[in-house]
Every structure is written in C-alpha cells, then in structure tokens.
Amino acid sequence: MYVEVSDVKKSYGEGGSYMQVLKGVSVGVEKGKMCVIQGTSGSGKSTLLNCIGGLDVVDSGSIQVDGQEMVGLKMDALSDYRRDYLGFIFQFYNLVPNLTVRENIQVCEYLTDQPLDMDELLDVLGLTEHQNKFPSQLSGGQQQRVAIARAIVTNPRIILADEPTGNLDSTNGNEVMSLLKELNRDGATVVMVTHSEENAREAERIIRMMDGYILTESKNIRVVDA
C-alpha cells in the first residue's frame, strides 16, 4: 500500500475533557487511487485525514507513506514530507485575505523546485481574470478553486481533501470534483472526506467510520470518462 495506517490511536484533552477520537484505525490506500472516507460528525474521519497529513500527532500506531514511517518524525522532516508529498484542500479555504489570488497560490509555489505552470493552472481553474482580486471579491466556488490551486501547484503525489465541496452549490461542487478526478487520472493519490454519496461514487474505494473505528470498507466500480 502507498499509504498504510496501522492501529492508529488519537485522543484530545485530559481528565474530564479527555476524548479518544481514533481507536486503533488500520487502513491502506493504493498508489494512484481515489479513496473516500465517510461517517457521521465525530466519527474521526477528519482526524484521520489530519494524521495522515501530519497536522495531528498520533498517540500510537504507524503511518507509512511510500514505505517511509511518518510517526515520530522531527519537525523539519515532517515539513519536508508535507512539502514533497502533500496537497491539502480544506473545507474552509484558509486563504490569506490581504493577498491576491495569484499571491495566495505563490505562497505554496515557492515551496517546490518543480511547480506546475502558474498561468496554465490559473487558466485551467478559470481564475486568470480573477488573479489580481482578493478573496473577499470572489464567490465561494472561486475561493475553493484558489484553495485547490494552492494545494496542487506543488504537483503533489497525494491530495488530502476535507469536504472540498461541502460549502459549494451543485455547479461549483461538480467543477471541483471534475478537477479532482482529472488530477487522479494524472497519477495523484486522492484521499477525500465527504458526506456526498454522489462524490463517493467517483472513488474506487469507500471507507466508512463510526465512533473512531473503521465500520466498513468497500470497492467501487468507477466509470472512467472517455
């Protein structure tokens, strides 16, 4: 497996506020595949994504990516991992309000020696005419496309997406999913948290979580666009 999570446990707080969110999760994702994680609020799906992305430190267990152990890495090595492997798409955009569209993307472009072509990326995402605007001047769909551009400008091997269409209308949501499918076809491994059953049908694999455990795993027969 390209991404292999083994018996991962994660908790927050202590004493009366202690809560174990992941209770020994084990799951694997093959290279170049799209995997969807589903579950009710509080099931641990976003926490699992954050652990894979190195944003949360696990209590115990193992997370291997491309044969390398991520758990226990020092901060410098963890930063290298995120820079070299990951593109993280958040539900709430997290754009820098006083930077333009182009500048928001450039923040991540500078992290790699082999970024995607900026002008081509802006064109593909329909952002060329908006590149000098600030986030407050954009619609929700446009802001999400900027967030996606920022996540993928480094040409990442793995895309982690946390409810990437959750705040979008159906038209913008479909555009975002089309882009993720295209990136997946180009070789990126995609792990996505989503409540949308329609989005889940685009994945080869669906993982359902409940109360910090993997409840079910299933494989999808995905229709690939011609």
Side-chain angles (χ1 to χ4, degrees):
M1 290 292 181
Y2 190 54
V3 178
E4 189 158 6
V5 177
S6 302
D7 196 27
V8 163
K9 297 178 181 178
K10 172 63 182 176
S11 60
Y12 298 101
E14 56 186 31
S17 62
Y18 175 84
M19 177 180 294
Q20 188 172 23
V21 182
L22 299 180
K23 304 173 183 178
V25 170
S26 297
V27 68
V29 181
E30 296 176 2
K31 188 174 184 178
K33 300 296 185 181
M34 180 183 286
C35 175
V36 156
I37 304 172
Q38 293 191 303
T40 57
S41 180
S43 61
K45 55 190 186 298
S46 291
T47 298
L48 176 58
L49 204 69
N50 289 341
C51 288
I52 294 172
L55 301 180
D56 280 346
V57 178
V58 306
D59 298 340
S60 62
S62 169
I63 299 176
Q64 292 193 5
V65 176
D66 199 13
Q68 302 178 58
E69 179 60 57
M70 298 296 109
V71 175
L73 286 181
K74 294 182 178 179
M75 288 304 298
D76 287 349
L78 197 57
S79 294
D80 289 344
Y81 159 61
R82 287 194 289 256
R83 180 194 65 203
D84 296 339
Y85 278 84
L86 299 181
F88 211 124
I89 302 170
F90 299 93
Q91 181 179 358
F92 296 106
Y93 318 141
N94 293 328
L95 301 179
V96 182
N98 60 341
L99 296 182
T100 65
V101 165
R102 192 180 189 95
E103 290 167 342
N104 262 282
I105 301 169
Q106 285 174 329
V107 166
C108 288
E109 181 190 23
Y110 295 142
L111 297 177
T112 180
D113 295 330
Q114 297 181 314
L116 298 178
D117 182 86
M118 172 68 78
D119 291 327
E120 183 177 347
L121 186 60
L122 288 168
D123 183 56
V124 168
L125 288 169
L127 293 170
T128 301
E129 64 182 289
H130 305 293
Q131 62 181 302
N132 295 317
K133 293 181 180 179
F134 295 97
S136 62
Q137 298 173 299
L138 304 175
S139 68
Q142 290 165 345
Q143 290 186 61
Q144 185 63 302
R145 288 200 291 273
V146 177
I148 290 173
R150 185 184 55 189
I152 67 175
V153 69
T154 58
N155 201 14
R157 305 177 211 185
I158 302 170
I159 296 172
L160 303 178
D162 193 355
E163 293 285 2
T165 65
N167 290 319
L168 304 180
D169 59 32
S170 59
T171 299
N172 284 308
N174 289 336
E175 289 177 0
V176 167
M177 280 305 303
S178 293
L179 178 61
L180 288 176
K181 286 192 293 181
E182 182 178 343
L183 293 167
N184 181 231
R185 284 194 295 266
D186 289 341
T189 302
V190 179
V191 184
M192 176 174 60
V193 168
T194 181
H195 283 99
S196 169
E197 292 296 336
E198 183 178 356
N199 290 347
R201 286 194 291 270
E202 303 294 344
E204 286 96 349
R205 192 142 170 251
I206 302 173
I207 295 165
R208 289 186 170 84
M209 297 185 66
M210 178 179 286
D211 299 331
Y213 295 101
I214 300 294
L215 186 63
T216 62
E217 297 182 48
S218 59
K219 290 187 177 181
N220 243 357
I221 299 176
R222 189 174 76 175
V223 177
V224 179
D225 298 335

